[in-house]
Every structure is written in C-alpha cells, then in structure tokens.
Amino acid sequence: MSNFVTPISEIEVDIDNMIADFEFCKEKSQWSPEQYYGQIGLRHRPNITENHWWDSEGSLHSRGLSETDFSVWNEDTPQYTRNKIEEVCEHLSFNMGRVRYMTMPPQTGLKIHFDDDIRLHYVIKTNPDAYLFNKPANTETLEHFNLKISSNFYLVDTTQWHFVYNSGWEERVHLVIS
C-alpha cells in the first residue's frame, strides 16, 4: 500500500469471531449511541476504580498518561480477540499498551494530528466512504486509504500527520492497538 499502511498477512484472523467479540463487548460495556462513547477499552490501568471499559477513552496527554499505562486486560475481554492481539504483537515485537474499539459515527471525522507511536488496526466495520488520510512529510500530497474488512491486521504509521473522515452513512469501527 504505502509506508503509512502495511497489511500484516502472516496472522490470519476470523472476521466472524472478531465481530461477535465486538458485539459482546458492546453489550458488556453498555455502549449505546444514545449515551455515546467513541471508544471501548479492552485494557485498563492497574488499580483504577472507575469503569474499566471507559478507562482508555480520549486523549492521554491531557491526563498525563502514556499508552503503556494500560497494562491490564479487562476480565471480560473475549479470549479469541485477546489471543489474536497477543499473537500479532508477538509476531511484530510490538509493545502493546492501550487496546480499544474506536467507533466513528456517519458524517464525522477527526482533525489532522500525529501520534507518538505507530498503531495496529483491525477493521470490524466500515463503508466505502470511510477514509484514513495521510499527509506525507515534506509534501503537499494527501493520500487516502479505505481500509477494508479482511482477515488481516494493518500496521499504520500514525507518527505521520493523518486524519480520519467517515463520509458514509454507517458507523466505522476499528480495533486499535497502541
């Protein structure tokens, strides 16, 4: 694809199991569009007292946290998803921290930004009009990607300037490992 998005084809994933696990986590976390939370965390910080599902929500810098602070699996994290995440991280020697489902409603987006580290993405739900944009360094070019549902994870170099926009009419859901 590019140096921004790299499919990881060595780890095969069963999309039906991943979708079922997402649906299970939505139910367990009591996620609902009416009381919208954009992220459902599968890992949390040790010794927190608030809801473990929502601990990984939002910006870390404003809370003085880092990705690696999220080192404990939620006890209800489905085993299939957990095993696949651990397998891909071990295969890539990827230092796992925060793990969460990131949802994006239709007709919404994120502003352009860059992250401190690269991320792994697994597409749970998307549509033809949900895009990940990248502005490569020292260029005026804007690349766009529509990550497809597949049996593979994607390694995304989010240390580069990027933004997301879902111009479609269905939500976009990615499992993101930081």
Side-chain angles (χ1 to χ4, degrees), residues 132-144:
L132 175 60
F133 292 89
N134 166 237
K135 184 180 179 311
N138 304 316
T139 71
E140 295 302 317
T141 307
L142 194 61
E143 299 175 328
H144 66 282

Side-chain angles (χ1 to χ4, degrees), residues 1 32 60 67 73 78 83 89 93 107 111 153 159 176-177:
M1 287 185 125
S32 73
L60 298 184
E67 298 290 350
W73 285 102
N83 289 346
C89 288
S93 299
Q107 305 294 301
K111 66 182 179 179
F153 283 86
T159 64
V176 179
I177 301 128

Side-chain angles (χ1 to χ4, degrees), residues 17-71:
N17 279 341
M18 295 296 273
I19 291 170
D21 286 357
F22 169 64
E23 293 298 330
F24 173 84
C25 290
K26 274 178 40 175
E27 185 177 316
K28 278 303 239 185
S29 67
Q30 300 176 345
W31 181 91
S32 73
E34 294 79 31
Q35 183 182 11
Y36 186 75
Y37 292 98
Q39 301 174 23
I40 300 170
L42 302 184
R43 287 168 55 106
H44 59 85
R45 294 171 291 152
N47 304 316
I48 63 159
T49 57
E50 62 258 19
N51 186 321
H52 292 174
W53 295 105
W54 309 126
D55 186 41
S56 65
E57 171 94 352
S59 169
L60 298 184
H61 293 289
S62 64
R63 296 191 288 164
L65 300 173
S66 70
E67 298 290 350
T68 56
D69 291 336
F70 299 82
S71 59

Side-chain angles (χ1 to χ4, degrees), residues 63 74-75:
R63 296 191 288 164
N74 289 348
E75 67 181 40

